[in-house]
Amino acid sequence: MSSWTRWHGPAMARLWGFCWLVVGFWRAALACPTSCKCTASRIWCSDPSPGIVAFPRLEPNSADPENITEIYIANQKRLEIINEDDVEAYAGLKNLTIVDSGLKFVAHKAFLKNSNLQHINFTRNKLTSLSRKHFRHLDLSELILVGNPFTCSCDIMWIKTLQETKSSPETQDLYCLNESSKNIPLANLQIPNCGLPSANLAAPNLTVEEGRSITLSCSVSGDPVPNLYWDVGNLVSKHMNETSHTQGSLRITNISSDDSGKQISCVAENLVGEDQDSVNLTVHFAPTITFLESPTSDHHWCIPFTVKGNPKPALQWFYNGAILNESKYICTKIHVTNHTEYHGCLQLDNPTHMNNGDYKLVAKNEYGKDEKQISAHFMGWPGIVDGANPNYPDVIYEDYGTAANDIGDTTNRSNEIPSTDVADKSGREHLSVYAVVVIASVVGFCLLVMLFLLKLARHSKFGMKDFSWFGFGKVKSRQGVGPASVISNDDDSASPLHHISNGSNTPSSSEGGPDAVIIGMTKIPVIENPQYFGITNSQLKPDTWPRGSPKTA
């Protein structure tokens, strides 16, 4: 049971992977030619017996030839030709090596569909001539041709030119056989009437208005006489060419603005090499606003747009029909420029409900203008329920006559519309008012508390312990309990106070005598009525008088 579990884990996955790999190698081996070994990315043919007589090809529906990146062929004396369709199936081929074999001829279009080729090695074969047309479309980093019996002719002068213009200091030791079968170093080869051609285009700078037609002329020269052809790339406009020996012309009609900035070349080519003369086509046309959308919120609010035009158009924004002069809070930003196409946005910094409305973009140059409008909504009006249609207040605009700005000038400044800086200023003013009110309230409250505490502190310092909450209390005589003791909190109305000092508010021990009442900060002397205090308690009680006796005061 444990062995069964073990073989149903990762080990079983590895086993199945190994099996599929073996099947893949087996299928590739079945499709591989005799004397060759094949893998998913490589073909290796080095066994001279029995050898191959044609360029190796994989069997149909076996391995994918587009995955082959390297082909190595060696010691195949019977391999003499590479035909036009022998290599085209290997579209991913990067390295091609044919050494010590019997290769004598390579078709001109043999590598036409092998644009990924980087290294070619044809060392020690039987090549007597090789045209540059085989390789002119390839971006080769290495071409090795050592050990071939080249014939000294104009056909191989391109190899000498290639060696002379090669950026790498390493050069190959190449030779050719002259009419006497003598080896001549290719570096010393001199052949009369065999040189690079030249091309001359009549219009070095070409500027034309959209919809017009133009004709370009070109002349070529060289020995051997070169061929002339036009390289127009992916030109959209209709065109046709005429050539006659060393003269040629190219007619372009109804020129499209899409062709502005494209390159047109006149090419002269012969056995030795090629030369070309090129011109950039400049098309002038009226602006077109190809894209304008409602604002989107990112780091800033942005009204995106795309404008095409040549010369560069001037842009002007309008807000609710009035000119929108830009500032640092509302400005045009161009993010991407593609020759005659400009991608950007009207950037708004923290817009509010005051910025809601219609925004119109006008693009203008000397060939015409275009305009588009969108409605923008950034924020609802305060106190208005979403979906309601408030009556927006009228805003008075003044036209300061500001000229339209060219693309790239984003500093046009004014206060024609309620921009976000005005809204921010209003908000800040409201916050300032609130802050002042709050601070004033806090300060007033603090002042009241401080005054109350100061009053309590003064009372505590000058006899607060001997008075009640309202400032009266018992005052003891210096001799102990005296007549002043009757002035108490229990009956303050009985205090016989007949004199109040008008002196200083600060009480002292020398003022008022030993019996005094302190009221606030004033010490008031107490004057006693001796008759009042001479009456006994019994005399104060009317029940103690004899019946019938007259009541005396």
Side-chain angles (χ1 to χ4, degrees):
M1 182 67 180
S2 62
S3 62
W4 173 263
T5 303
R6 183 171 63 253
W7 279 103
H8 276 74
M12 180 59 71
R14 287 194 294 270
L15 177 61
W16 276 107
F18 177 75
C19 292
W20 279 111
L21 184 62
V22 170
V23 170
F25 276 111
W26 175 71
R27 291 184 61 191
L30 290 180
C32 197
T34 307
S35 302
C36 297
K37 297 178 181 178
C38 304
T39 65
S41 62
R42 190 182 186 193
I43 299 177
W44 184 286
C45 304
S46 60
D47 190 353
S49 179
I52 59 175
V53 297
F55 196 84
R57 294 188 183 185
L58 299 177
E59 294 294 331
N61 301 325
S62 56
D64 190 354
E66 293 185 356
N67 296 330
I68 301 296
T69 60
E70 181 179 3
I71 297 178
Y72 180 87
I73 300 173
N75 305 316
Q76 304 299 319
K77 301 301 181 182
R78 296 191 296 169
L79 176 63
E80 298 182 351
I81 299 175
I82 298 179
N83 294 310
E84 292 185 358
D85 57 346
D86 285 342
V87 195
E88 65 179 8
Y90 304 106
L93 185 63
K94 295 182 179 180
N95 302 326
L96 175 62
T97 300
I98 302 179
V99 297
D100 299 313
S101 299
L103 185 63
K104 295 181 180 180
F105 176 78
V106 180
H108 287 176
K109 298 181 181 181
F111 308 121
L112 186 62
K113 298 183 179 180
N114 304 100
S115 58
N116 294 317
L117 262 176
Q118 299 176 1
H119 303 273
I120 295 179
N121 186 353
F122 286 161
T123 300
R124 295 183 297 274
N125 284 287
K126 305 299 182 182
L127 294 170
T128 60
S129 180
L130 193 64
S131 173
R132 62 176 299 275
K133 292 182 179 180
H134 298 99
F135 316 106
R136 68 181 183 183
H137 67 286
L138 300 177
D139 186 18
L140 292 178
S141 59
E142 187 177 47
L143 176 62
I144 303 176
L145 302 172
V146 177
N148 286 279
F150 289 114
T151 301
C152 294
S153 67
C154 196
D155 293 343
I156 63 170
M157 284 296 290
W158 71 271
I159 301 175
K160 176 186 176 181
T161 304
L162 180 64
Q163 290 291 307
E164 293 173 348
T165 58
K166 191 176 181 180
S167 59
S168 175
E170 298 180 2
T171 58
Q172 304 175 47
D173 191 11
L174 300 176
Y175 294 86
C176 65
L177 296 174
N178 62 11
E179 295 177 355
S180 302
S181 299
K182 182 181 178 180
N183 278 338
I184 304 297
L186 197 60
N188 300 331
L189 183 62
Q190 297 292 333
I191 298 177
N193 303 321
C194 185
L196 287 170
S198 64
N200 183 25
L201 193 59
N205 294 310
L206 193 60
T207 301
V208 64
E209 187 177 350
E210 182 182 22
R212 299 291 183 86
S213 300
I214 57 170
T215 301
L216 284 72
S217 299
C218 181
S219 60
V220 299
S221 61
D223 195 4
V225 177
N227 295 322
L228 185 154
Y229 67 91
W230 294 91
D231 184 4
V232 296
N234 55 347
L235 196 66
V236 175
S237 306
K238 294 181 180 180
H239 57 277
M240 59 181 299
N241 64 81
E242 296 180 358
T243 58
S244 176
H245 301 293
T246 59
Q247 296 290 329
S249 63
L250 178 67
R251 177 73 173 171
I252 307 176
T253 59
N254 193 21
I255 294 178
S256 171
S257 60
D258 294 331
D259 288 329
S260 186
K262 292 183 178 178
Q263 187 180 75
I264 300 173
S265 301
C266 172
V267 183
E269 180 183 29
N270 64 9
L271 295 175
V272 182
E274 69 178 31
D275 183 40
Q276 68 177 25
D277 193 10
S278 302
V279 64
N280 289 323
L281 182 61
T282 301
V283 182
H284 284 173
F285 58 97
T288 302
I289 302 174
T290 59
F291 178 80
L292 183 64
E293 288 291 331
S294 298
T296 58
S297 176
D298 195 2
H299 182 65
H300 299 281
W301 280 89
C302 169
I303 300 178
F305 66 85
T306 298
V307 177
K308 293 180 63 178
N310 194 26
K312 182 170 60 177
L315 301 182
Q316 178 67 66
W317 288 92
F318 290 81
Y319 174 74
N320 289 340
I323 294 178
L324 169 60
N325 287 333
E326 301 178 12
S327 67
K328 65 180 180 179
Y329 299 101
I330 302 180
C331 58
T332 301
K333 297 289 185 179
I334 303 298
H335 302 301
V336 179
T337 300
N338 183 14
H339 189 59
T340 61
E341 192 170 50
Y342 307 90
H343 304 271
C345 69
L346 178 65
Q347 180 176 295
L348 298 95
D349 188 8
N350 298 322
T352 66
H353 60 279
M354 300 295 292
N355 300 101
N356 297 342
D358 296 330
Y359 288 81
K360 182 172 67 174
L361 174 61
V362 177
K364 182 189 299 185
N365 66 11
E366 58 187 277
Y367 294 95
K369 72 174 184 178
D370 190 21
E371 61 182 47
K372 281 192 177 180
Q373 178 174 301
I374 56 99
S375 294
H377 180 82
F378 302 100
M379 186 184 296
W381 284 75
I384 301 299
V385 181
D386 291 342
N389 185 19
N391 293 322
Y392 296 104
D394 295 334
V395 182
I396 301 176
Y397 298 92
E398 296 181 0
D399 188 358
Y400 293 96
T402 303
N405 288 335
D406 200 4
I407 289 180
D409 182 6
T410 60
T411 59
N412 196 6
R413 305 172 184 273
S414 77
N415 294 320
E416 292 187 1
I417 68 165
S419 59
T420 53
D421 55 341
V422 177
D424 292 342
K425 183 177 180 181
S426 176
R428 288 193 294 268
E429 290 177 353
H430 284 78
L431 290 177
S432 300
V433 172
Y434 296 150
V436 169
V437 172
V438 172
I439 292 173
S441 301
V442 173
V443 170
F445 178 75
C446 292
L447 290 174
L448 291 176
V449 173
M450 291 175 63
L451 291 174
F452 181 74
L453 292 177
L454 287 174
K455 183 176 181 181
L456 290 181
R458 288 196 299 269
H459 291 176
S460 175
K461 183 177 180 180
F462 298 103
M464 187 66 185
K465 294 180 180 180
D466 297 330
F467 286 94
S468 66
W469 181 259
F470 297 101
F472 297 94
K474 295 180 180 179
V475 180
K476 293 183 179 181
S477 171
R478 291 179 181 178
Q479 291 78 16
V481 178
S485 62
V486 298
I487 304 174
S488 65
N489 290 335
D490 296 333
D491 191 5
D492 290 339
S493 61
S495 299
L497 303 180
H498 301 285
H499 177 74
I500 296 177
S501 174
N502 294 324
S504 174
N505 291 334
T506 303
S508 62
S509 60
S510 63
E511 296 177 357
D515 298 323
V517 175
I518 298 175
I519 298 177
M521 297 295 292
T522 304
K523 191 171 184 179
I524 303 174
V526 178
I527 302 174
E528 301 176 354
N529 186 347
Q531 294 179 357
Y532 181 84
F533 291 101
I535 302 174
T536 61
N537 291 336
S538 60
Q539 290 175 336
L540 295 176
K541 297 179 181 180
D543 296 339
T544 60
W545 294 341
R547 294 182 177 180
S549 298
K551 296 180 181 180
T552 62

